[in-house]
Amino acid sequence: MRAIVASALFLGLAGAALAQQPTYNDEVEKEFPALDRLVKTQPYKKSYGALLKEMSPAPDYLHAVLKGKGDYMTFGSKQVTVDGLSYRAAMVCPTNVTCSEYGSVFLFSAKGTQAWAEIRDGDKPVYLGDPSDSQKQALGKVFDE
């Protein structure tokens, strides 16, 4: 009987300890937040919105990202280095398309206060935020990965 009680107590404590641990998805999302998560917070939301104002009209899926729902796919963001500076790159594309041909990549400064983008719609890419040549190269590289 003592063995059963001890086992139950051990399993209960172990279960409580596991419940306090962040899940894999929470840890991944915190370290590599997708674009729709990033733009929920300032200053990412402001810098993203400023880029969309440069493109008239911007594709519907890019506006849907701000609402957090719609016909788009996002992927985990990642840290990239351009000319010795750290940036966060995030990709989004409409559903049911080839992202490398019809997607968008956003590059945010380390604190999210500035942003640049490459928007692809099957034709020549459109750049927003006036990215430097090095930033354009980094944006294109995200499409290729």
Side-chain angles (χ1 to χ4, degrees), residues 25-104:
N25 288 335
D26 291 340
E27 289 179 17
V28 169
E29 187 61 37
K30 186 176 181 179
E31 190 171 345
F32 308 104
L35 182 64
D36 53 352
R37 307 273 184 181
L38 276 174
V39 299
K40 285 183 180 180
T41 61
Q42 294 293 356
Y44 291 96
K45 184 175 185 175
K46 183 177 180 180
S47 57
Y48 180 83
L51 285 182
L52 294 188
K53 288 178 183 175
E54 288 185 28
M55 187 176 198
S56 181
D60 290 342
Y61 76 95
L62 294 178
H63 289 290
V65 169
L66 280 172
K67 297 174 187 168
K69 59 183 178 180
D71 293 331
Y72 64 86
M73 298 179 294
T74 59
F75 307 90
S77 63
K78 66 180 195 166
Q79 294 288 89
V80 297
T81 302
V82 180
D83 294 335
L85 298 174
S86 182
Y87 295 88
R88 180 164 296 279
M91 184 175 196
V92 61
C93 57
T95 55
N96 302 317
V97 300
T98 303
C99 291
S100 62
E101 293 177 21
Y102 294 94
S104 301

